[in-house]
Amino acid sequence: MQYILKIDCPDQKGLVHEISGILFSFGLNIIENEEFVDHVNNHFFMRSEVVGDAERSEVYNKLCAFLPDSAQIQLHEKRKKNIIIFATKEYHCIGDLVVRHHFGELKANIMAVVSNHNHLQELCEKFGLPFYHVSAEGLARDEHEQKILGIVDQYNPEFLVLAKYMRILTAGFTNHFKNRIINIHHSFLPAFIGAKPYVQAYSRGVKLIGATAHFVNDNLDEGPIIIQDVIHTNHKHDASMMARSGRDVEKIVLSNALKLVFDDRVFVFKNKTIVFE
Amino acid sequence: MQYILKIDCPDQKGLVHEISGILFSFGLNIIENEEFVDHVNNHFFMRSEVVGDAERSEVYNKLCAFLPDSAQIQLHEKRKKNIIIFATKEYHCIGDLVVRHHFGELKANIMAVVSNHNHLQELCEKFGLPFYHVSAEGLARDEHEQKILGIVDQYNPEFLVLAKYMRILTAGFTNHFKNRIINIHHSFLPAFIGAKPYVQAYSRGVKLIGATAHFVNDNLDEGPIIIQDVIHTNHKHDASMMARSGRDVEKIVLSNALKLVFDDRVFVFKNKTIVFE
Amino acid sequence: MQYILKIDCPDQKGLVHEISGILFSFGLNIIENEEFVDHVNNHFFMRSEVVGDAERSEVYNKLCAFLPDSAQIQLHEKRKKNIIIFATKEYHCIGDLVVRHHFGELKANIMAVVSNHNHLQELCEKFGLPFYHVSAEGLARDEHEQKILGIVDQYNPEFLVLAKYMRILTAGFTNHFKNRIINIHHSFLPAFIGAKPYVQAYSRGVKLIGATAHFVNDNLDEGPIIIQDVIHTNHKHDASMMARSGRDVEKIVLSNALKLVFDDRVFVFKNKTIVFE
Amino acid sequence: MQYILKIDCPDQKGLVHEISGILFSFGLNIIENEEFVDHVNNHFFMRSEVVGDAERSEVYNKLCAFLPDSAQIQLHEKRKKNIIIFATKEYHCIGDLVVRHHFGELKANIMAVVSNHNHLQELCEKFGLPFYHVSAEGLARDEHEQKILGIVDQYNPEFLVLAKYMRILTAGFTNHFKNRIINIHHSFLPAFIGAKPYVQAYSRGVKLIGATAHFVNDNLDEGPIIIQDVIHTNHKHDASMMARSGRDVEKIVLSNALKLVFDDRVFVFKNKTIVFE
């Protein structure tokens, strides 16, 4: 059996020794291991992939018994995550994800796609994915979200992926899925928060355009950043050309962030991420 | 003789034909030529390097006669620019520039270095550069600037280069050198405007850190951007480590921007730049 | 009407003036223009996008009359190119292209897909693309190519795109489509020519892996390079992990190269390309 | 006291537990730790920074007693390395290093500079560095190396840095400093091995130019690669322009590689490096 172990807790001397000792005592072999100590906050982070025949619950209980109560401990088998994708009209991110999913590359099962428009229905159905068109027309934000939640809750997903979902979610919604909603924002955050980042970028005359994958919390575009990347632009590009050339960096950044999250390589701590690549 | 011609004016049909015709009529050979039309603002930009024996003023006058009054026209021999560098305490940008200057790579003559501290005096003197230590202690901002202006005016420089000069210049000062002051800001503008960008970047948890070379106008960090670049960072880096690793991108971005400006490859138009690389 | 004009010919004084004069004489407005002179070979390259009502053949004839016989001149309406894609088993490049094609982003019509395996048939048929499985089993290289040519010739495509087509084409075949076959090679050419570049890269211990889009000529992997890009790798990645992480750079490099070629922005000259981005 | 521990040995279960247990038993606190297992070669690598009052030799002896005889173990105080720089005529790499050294940023003491030309003498002397001009004129390769060795041996350096030293070293010389000579090669190795890589790059028409920092062994340009980077180039750049624009990437790649090596973050294993960044 191959397990992934994630621990974060206040730092103290001897943690690596004791934790690795517990793993060793169960005959588990560490095939990959990474640690990090945040010396500003005196906090310890560790991720291990281990192989062996030990019973998960026994290892977990022994780790709990040793580590302080405030420790966050995850120990589970390596497996695909269950996700739902939210999208609006743009095809590039979701198109990339459904192709990867179809060929088994995405470390997730796409259980369904939810959209406030029907532009992407045909694409999703080509790939056999349940598609829910939940129009927001004539609905208050809360009403719309309630209809979506009704669908989402049927599936009990582990993560929601906002693949260019162009509506703002309420704090009520995002708190319901704390650190489980991943968004792609089409700028190098914190530059160009909010609407129409490419128009803002064109207007400011920047020479790079970027994309940011981040967890969504209750402040728009201010959640913990997972990864970011940029491409060069220049005076020849107006806002719509920037948007076109930005698509590729958006889709690759989102896909790379998902790989890391679904592979349990990302910790969230105090509005930042620790990413063990 | 090798001349550089820069023209920008409202766009109209036939400009390239007419301008190239004037150059041809003087027997000038175009060895490099670039044009750009900003279709949003209907404005035309052109830069040519030409070789030939024609008299500069005659060519210039004929271009003026043909082009509309609102046209900006520059025609001059290819030559090094006269500059003054402003710095404070950090050595990486100025260190890079003085080495390039010493070996003749910088397309400029450094006439003097001005600093509000004396940390860089020894370095500058090693390379035979006049160094002016103008302490700001006990002086009002205006008084300090007046003392600096007194020095600068002796040299009549074409450009001022702020190589990590950590003081804000007044609008009075910057307007005196419109589009002739180049600054390096240690962030990917417009993210992290103002003081301590690396502290801001660390606090936000970004995964890229950047540098921006821009002209300085009367709004802090809001002048026309020349070039920008970024490097990757991660959770292991605190603000001071970001600052250290950011030094290299700062110095290379500044140096590349200066190459472009001193080689007359940069137009400023409506708070943006057109850069013919 | 919007036309694209491409000219390359031996350089001489006055070319820009004369060519722009001809365009002007037909009332054509230049909306984008780029020139380059290769001073080593004394050769002139120009690409213009022009708008107006002139008759294509009249403009073309006047350009031919003025330019030397050795000049290459193309003048045609801006339109999508007709292409055929060749693939083998890997889905990432073709998956990217069919999604772009489906949503009208690819500047080409995919007329058909040809493969020596059937792994990609289902994907292509989802998107309504004719798929030809031409197994190479039991066939000599020439026989296999003849069967493929039989299919290709029905469609009379302008370009063939090798989207991870893992067979070597004979010189007979490639000469038939001179400068019209575009390949994606999964290395930073000329490093790791030939088979299994990721195995070679792993074995050499490189810290970057790359992808190269190039025209195919009769020497394997030695045709004119269109664009290249790289991503970082490290000691944690074995050859198969490099291959996985290289997929994204391959597909983006191929797609960007195709945009440039299909938009008539690429000249081939003496085994190199001039690319007007 | 702050120590750096480096261990590499055949992998076996329990290594992390035992090693961290030894450190813990001496009251050493791990402030940074990284491990890697090469599963292809079944080899374990570990680097720790630890703080505490333990006696170095006692910790070292206990580690030796536990680990297999074939293990490579380094345990020493964190401190600057003693180095000698070799150069020829180009100033950009050595200029960058002497400025960093002057301001205490380089994690090394430059004990001397050796060159087969005297172009860089003035620069080195400005910074108070002993400069040895050892002309190769009229000398056999071995004679020249013997003269250099005579100088080098006076200083007993830990590393030799070839900062654009344009002569080939004999296997006799390089074996004398196994894994202790660091070179910067001005290409993306293994592309363009040997002389004049920019001329080769121009001739091949590549769209990226690179730089590679590597250890030097007895096969020219085939030693273990430490880091590599690239910048974009295009058809406008001839070989000499590529060389000019390549200077910046060369100097930054060399400087970054030196930081990693001097900070004991690089392991050499079977002609590759493991780099704990």
Side-chain angles (χ1 to χ4, degrees):
Chain A
M1 205 73 85
Q2 184 159 352
Y3 295 107
I4 295 179
L5 170 65
K6 282 175 74 180
I7 293 172
D8 79 80
C9 64
D11 190 33
Q12 62 185 73
K13 232 187 262 190
L15 277 176
V16 172
H17 177 59
E18 294 288 349
I19 295 166
S20 59
I22 291 170
L23 300 174
F24 186 58
S25 73
F26 282 99
L28 291 165
N29 194 20
I30 298 174
I31 58 169
E32 190 181 329
N33 190 44
E34 217 165 341
E35 304 120 37
F36 170 64
V37 177
D38 173 342
H39 292 290
V40 174
N41 294 294
N42 198 40
H43 204 84
F44 172 84
F45 301 86
M46 176 173 175
R47 178 193 183 277
S48 290
E49 294 198 20
V50 297
V51 174
D53 294 325
E55 184 62 39
R56 195 203 73 88
S57 62
E58 289 181 21
V59 182
Y60 182 78
N61 290 340
K62 194 151 175 192
L63 288 164
C64 289
F66 164 68
L67 289 163
D69 287 353
S70 63
Q72 304 286 325
I73 310 170
Q74 273 185 37
L75 178 70
H76 53 68
E77 280 180 55
K78 198 166 183 171
R79 57 163 183 71
K80 291 194 173 184
K81 302 298 187 282
N82 293 317
I83 67 168
I84 289 180
I85 295 181
F86 285 35
T88 294
K89 292 178 181 176
E90 287 175 276
Y91 62 87
H92 55 287
C93 286
I94 194 166
D96 191 57
L97 295 178
V98 297
V99 171
R100 292 180 199 266
H101 183 256
H102 181 73
F103 288 98
E105 176 190 331
L106 199 67
K107 296 179 175 187
N109 304 311
I110 302 177
M111 308 172 87
V113 176
V114 174
S115 178
N116 52 324
H117 287 275
N118 64 3
H119 294 60
L120 302 165
Q121 182 157 4
E122 187 201 342
L123 174 73
C124 292
E125 291 178 350
K126 274 186 203 306
F127 287 94
L129 298 172
F131 182 90
Y132 295 88
H133 174 203
V134 187
S135 172
E137 254 187 57
L139 297 182
R141 189 171 300 278
D142 271 5
E143 290 173 314
H144 186 240
E145 282 189 358
Q146 283 310 312
K147 289 182 79 168
I148 288 175
L149 265 181
I151 295 160
V152 167
D153 283 346
Q154 293 170 41
Y155 288 98
N156 195 26
E158 296 169 273
F159 292 97
L160 305 182
V161 175
L162 310 187
K164 304 289 286 178
Y165 181 65
M166 306 310 279
R167 289 180 59 81
I168 295 171
L169 297 167
T170 65
F173 190 98
T174 59
N175 289 333
H176 192 66
F177 297 96
K178 195 171 158 57
N179 296 335
R180 290 165 52 203
I181 307 177
I182 298 135
N183 185 43
I184 180 73
H185 185 78
H186 39 310
S187 83
F188 173 72
L189 287 176
F192 311 131
I193 280 176
K196 298 189 185 293
Y198 290 120
V199 173
Q200 295 181 57
Y202 170 71
S203 166
R204 179 61 186 91
V206 292
K207 301 300 187 184
L208 294 172
I209 52 178
T212 302
H214 64 99
F215 290 105
V216 178
N217 65 14
D218 47 350
N219 292 315
L220 180 64
D221 301 335
E222 297 193 354
I225 294 169
I226 305 166
I227 52 171
Q228 308 185 283
D229 208 355
V230 294
I231 52 171
H232 287 266
T233 187
N234 61 45
H235 59 268
K236 294 181 195 169
H237 295 153
D238 62 23
S240 67
M241 293 158 87
M242 285 183 182
R244 268 201 297 285
S245 62
R247 283 177 193 154
D248 284 344
V249 69
E250 291 171 27
K251 79 184 186 193
I252 301 300
V253 164
L254 177 60
S255 154
N256 283 337
L258 294 181
K259 268 181 223 164
L260 293 165
V261 172
F262 297 162
D263 212 17
D264 299 294
R265 295 183 177 276
V266 182
F267 294 77
V268 177
F269 184 69
K270 284 176 179 273
N271 209 42
K272 294 187 195 178
T273 61
I274 285 83
V275 180
F276 288 153
E277 279 180 86
Chain B
M1 206 73 82
Q2 184 159 354
Y3 295 107
I4 295 179
L5 170 65
K6 281 175 74 179
I7 294 173
D8 80 79
C9 65
D11 190 33
Q12 62 185 73
K13 237 188 258 192
L15 278 176
V16 172
H17 176 60
E18 294 289 351
I19 295 166
S20 58
I22 291 170
L23 300 175
F24 186 60
S25 72
F26 283 100
L28 291 165
N29 195 19
I30 299 175
I31 58 169
E32 190 182 329
N33 190 44
E34 215 163 345
E35 305 119 38
F36 170 65
V37 178
D38 174 342
H39 293 290
V40 175
N41 294 294
N42 198 38
H43 204 83
F44 172 84
F45 302 85
M46 177 172 174
R47 178 193 183 277
S48 290
E49 295 198 21
V50 297
V51 175
D53 293 326
E55 183 64 39
R56 195 204 73 87
S57 62
E58 291 180 20
V59 182
Y60 181 79
N61 290 339
K62 193 150 176 195
L63 287 165
C64 289
F66 164 69
L67 289 164
D69 286 354
S70 63
Q72 305 287 324
I73 310 170
Q74 272 185 39
L75 178 69
H76 54 68
E77 280 181 55
K78 198 165 182 172
R79 58 161 182 71
K80 292 195 174 186
K81 303 296 186 284
N82 293 319
I83 68 168
I84 289 180
I85 295 180
F86 285 34
T88 294
K89 293 179 180 175
E90 288 175 275
Y91 62 87
H92 55 287
C93 285
I94 193 167
D96 191 57
L97 295 177
V98 298
V99 170
R100 291 179 200 267
H101 182 255
H102 180 72
F103 288 98
E105 175 190 332
L106 199 66
K107 296 179 174 187
N109 304 311
I110 302 176
M111 308 173 86
V113 176
V114 174
S115 178
N116 52 324
H117 288 274
N118 65 3
H119 294 60
L120 300 164
Q121 181 155 5
E122 186 201 342
L123 175 74
C124 292
E125 292 178 349
K126 275 185 201 308
F127 287 93
L129 299 171
F131 182 92
Y132 296 89
H133 174 202
V134 186
S135 174
E137 255 187 55
L139 297 182
R141 189 171 299 278
D142 271 4
E143 291 173 313
H144 186 240
E145 281 188 358
Q146 284 309 315
K147 291 183 77 168
I148 288 176
L149 266 180
I151 294 161
V152 167
D153 282 345
Q154 292 171 42
Y155 289 98
N156 195 25
E158 297 169 271
F159 292 97
L160 305 182
V161 175
L162 311 188
K164 304 288 289 180
Y165 182 64
M166 305 311 279
R167 289 180 60 82
I168 295 171
L169 297 167
T170 65
F173 191 98
T174 59
N175 289 333
H176 193 65
F177 297 97
K178 194 170 157 57
N179 295 335
R180 290 165 52 206
I181 309 178
I182 298 135
N183 184 44
I184 180 73
H185 184 78
H186 39 311
S187 83
F188 173 73
L189 287 175
F192 312 131
I193 280 176
K196 297 188 185 295
Y198 289 120
V199 172
Q200 294 182 57
Y202 170 70
S203 166
R204 179 62 186 92
V206 292
K207 302 299 188 185
L208 293 173
I209 52 180
T212 302
H214 64 101
F215 290 105
V216 178
N217 65 14
D218 47 351
N219 292 315
L220 178 65
D221 300 335
E222 298 193 355
I225 294 170
I226 305 166
I227 50 169
Q228 309 186 281
D229 208 354
V230 294
I231 52 171
H232 287 267
T233 187
N234 60 45
H235 59 268
K236 294 181 194 169
H237 295 154
D238 62 23
S240 66
M241 293 159 87
M242 285 183 182
R244 268 201 296 283
S245 61
R247 283 176 195 155
D248 284 344
V249 69
E250 291 170 26
K251 78 184 186 192
I252 301 300
V253 165
L254 177 60
S255 153
N256 283 337
L258 295 181
K259 267 181 223 166
L260 292 165
V261 172
F262 297 162
D263 211 16
D264 299 294
R265 295 182 177 277
V266 182
F267 293 77
V268 177
F269 183 69
K270 284 178 178 273
N271 208 43
K272 296 188 194 178
T273 61
I274 286 82
V275 181
F276 288 152
E277 280 180 86
Chain C
M1 205 73 83
Q2 184 159 353
Y3 295 108
I4 296 179
L5 169 65
K6 282 175 74 179
I7 293 173
D8 80 79
C9 64
D11 190 34
Q12 61 185 74
K13 237 188 259 193
L15 277 176
V16 172
H17 177 61
E18 294 289 351
I19 295 167
S20 58
I22 292 170
L23 299 175
F24 186 59
S25 73
F26 283 99
L28 291 165
N29 194 20
I30 298 175
I31 58 169
E32 190 183 328
N33 190 44
E34 216 164 343
E35 304 119 37
F36 170 65
V37 178
D38 174 342
H39 293 290
V40 174
N41 294 295
N42 198 39
H43 204 82
F44 172 84
F45 302 85
M46 177 173 176
R47 177 193 183 277
S48 290
E49 296 199 20
V50 297
V51 175
D53 294 327
E55 185 63 40
R56 195 203 73 86
S57 62
E58 290 180 20
V59 182
Y60 182 79
N61 290 339
K62 194 151 176 195
L63 287 165
C64 288
F66 164 68
L67 289 163
D69 288 352
S70 64
Q72 305 287 323
I73 309 170
Q74 272 184 39
L75 178 69
H76 55 68
E77 281 180 55
K78 198 166 181 171
R79 57 161 183 70
K80 292 195 174 186
K81 302 297 187 283
N82 293 318
I83 68 169
I84 289 180
I85 297 180
F86 284 35
T88 294
K89 293 179 180 175
E90 287 175 275
Y91 62 88
H92 56 287
C93 286
I94 193 166
D96 191 57
L97 295 177
V98 297
V99 171
R100 293 180 200 266
H101 182 255
H102 181 73
F103 289 98
E105 176 190 331
L106 199 68
K107 297 179 173 186
N109 304 311
I110 302 177
M111 309 172 87
V113 176
V114 174
S115 178
N116 53 324
H117 287 274
N118 65 3
H119 294 59
L120 301 164
Q121 181 156 4
E122 187 202 341
L123 175 74
C124 293
E125 291 178 349
K126 274 184 203 308
F127 288 93
L129 299 171
F131 182 91
Y132 296 87
H133 175 202
V134 186
S135 172
E137 256 187 54
L139 298 182
R141 189 171 301 278
D142 272 4
E143 291 173 313
H144 186 240
E145 281 188 358
Q146 283 310 313
K147 291 182 77 168
I148 288 175
L149 266 180
I151 295 160
V152 167
D153 283 345
Q154 292 171 42
Y155 288 98
N156 195 25
E158 296 169 271
F159 291 98
L160 306 182
V161 175
L162 310 187
K164 304 289 287 180
Y165 182 65
M166 306 310 280
R167 288 179 61 80
I168 295 170
L169 297 166
T170 64
F173 190 98
T174 59
N175 289 334
H176 192 66
F177 297 97
K178 194 170 158 58
N179 295 336
R180 291 165 51 204
I181 308 176
I182 298 135
N183 184 44
I184 180 71
H185 185 77
H186 40 310
S187 83
F188 173 73
L189 288 175
F192 311 131
I193 281 176
K196 298 190 185 295
Y198 290 119
V199 172
Q200 294 182 57
Y202 170 72
S203 166
R204 179 60 186 91
V206 292
K207 302 299 187 184
L208 294 172
I209 52 179
T212 303
H214 63 100
F215 290 105
V216 178
N217 65 13
D218 48 350
N219 292 316
L220 179 64
D221 301 334
E222 297 193 356
I225 293 170
I226 305 166
I227 51 170
Q228 308 186 282
D229 207 354
V230 294
I231 52 171
H232 287 267
T233 187
N234 61 45
H235 59 268
K236 294 181 194 169
H237 294 154
D238 62 24
S240 66
M241 294 159 85
M242 286 183 181
R244 268 200 296 284
S245 61
R247 283 176 193 155
D248 284 344
V249 68
E250 290 171 27
K251 78 184 185 192
I252 301 300
V253 165
L254 177 59
S255 154
N256 284 336
L258 294 181
K259 268 181 223 165
L260 293 164
V261 172
F262 297 162
D263 212 17
D264 299 294
R265 295 183 178 277
V266 181
F267 294 77
V268 176
F269 184 69
K270 283 178 180 273
N271 209 42
K272 296 188 195 179
T273 62
I274 285 82
V275 181
F276 288 153
E277 279 182 86
Chain D
M1 207 73 85
Q2 184 160 352
Y3 296 107
I4 295 179
L5 170 65
K6 282 175 74 180
I7 293 173
D8 79 79
C9 64
D11 190 34
Q12 62 185 74
K13 234 187 263 190
L15 277 176
V16 172
H17 176 60
E18 294 288 349
I19 294 166
S20 58
I22 291 169
L23 300 174
F24 186 59
S25 73
F26 282 99
L28 292 165
N29 194 20
I30 298 174
I31 58 168
E32 190 183 329
N33 190 44
E34 217 165 341
E35 305 119 38
F36 170 65
V37 178
D38 174 341
H39 292 290
V40 174
N41 294 295
N42 198 39
H43 203 84
F44 171 85
F45 301 85
M46 176 173 176
R47 178 192 183 277
S48 290
E49 295 199 19
V50 296
V51 174
D53 294 326
E55 184 63 40
R56 196 204 73 88
S57 62
E58 289 179 21
V59 182
Y60 182 78
N61 290 339
K62 196 150 173 193
L63 288 164
C64 289
F66 164 68
L67 290 163
D69 287 354
S70 63
Q72 305 286 325
I73 309 170
Q74 273 186 38
L75 178 69
H76 54 69
E77 280 181 55
K78 198 166 182 171
R79 56 160 184 71
K80 292 194 174 186
K81 303 296 187 282
N82 293 318
I83 68 169
I84 289 180
I85 295 180
F86 284 36
T88 293
K89 293 179 180 175
E90 288 175 275
Y91 62 86
H92 55 287
C93 286
I94 194 166
D96 191 57
L97 295 177
V98 298
V99 171
R100 292 180 199 267
H101 183 256
H102 181 71
F103 287 99
E105 176 190 331
L106 199 67
K107 296 180 175 186
N109 305 310
I110 302 176
M111 307 172 86
V113 176
V114 174
S115 179
N116 52 324
H117 288 273
N118 65 3
H119 294 60
L120 301 164
Q121 181 156 4
E122 186 201 342
L123 175 73
C124 293
E125 290 178 350
K126 273 186 203 307
F127 287 93
L129 298 171
F131 182 91
Y132 296 88
H133 175 204
V134 186
S135 172
E137 255 187 55
L139 298 182
R141 189 170 300 277
D142 271 5
E143 290 173 315
H144 185 240
E145 281 188 358
Q146 283 310 313
K147 289 183 79 168
I148 287 176
L149 266 181
I151 294 160
V152 168
D153 283 346
Q154 292 170 41
Y155 288 99
N156 195 25
E158 296 169 272
F159 291 96
L160 305 183
V161 175
L162 310 187
K164 305 288 288 179
Y165 182 65
M166 306 309 280
R167 288 180 60 80
I168 295 171
L169 296 167
T170 64
F173 191 98
T174 60
N175 289 333
H176 191 66
F177 297 97
K178 194 172 159 57
N179 296 335
R180 290 165 51 204
I181 308 177
I182 298 136
N183 184 44
I184 180 73
H185 185 77
H186 39 310
S187 83
F188 173 73
L189 287 175
F192 311 131
I193 281 177
K196 298 189 185 293
Y198 290 120
V199 173
Q200 294 182 56
Y202 170 71
S203 166
R204 179 61 186 91
V206 292
K207 302 299 187 185
L208 294 172
I209 51 178
T212 303
H214 64 99
F215 290 105
V216 178
N217 64 16
D218 47 350
N219 292 315
L220 179 64
D221 300 335
E222 298 193 354
I225 293 169
I226 305 166
I227 51 172
Q228 308 185 284
D229 208 355
V230 294
I231 52 171
H232 287 266
T233 187
N234 60 46
H235 58 268
K236 295 181 194 168
H237 294 154
D238 63 22
S240 68
M241 294 159 86
M242 286 184 181
R244 270 201 296 284
S245 63
R247 283 177 193 155
D248 284 344
V249 68
E250 290 170 28
K251 79 185 185 192
I252 301 300
V253 165
L254 177 59
S255 154
N256 283 336
L258 295 181
K259 268 181 222 164
L260 292 165
V261 171
F262 297 163
D263 212 16
D264 299 295
R265 295 183 177 277
V266 182
F267 294 77
V268 177
F269 184 70
K270 283 177 179 273
N271 209 42
K272 295 189 196 178
T273 61
I274 285 83
V275 180
F276 288 152
E277 280 180 86

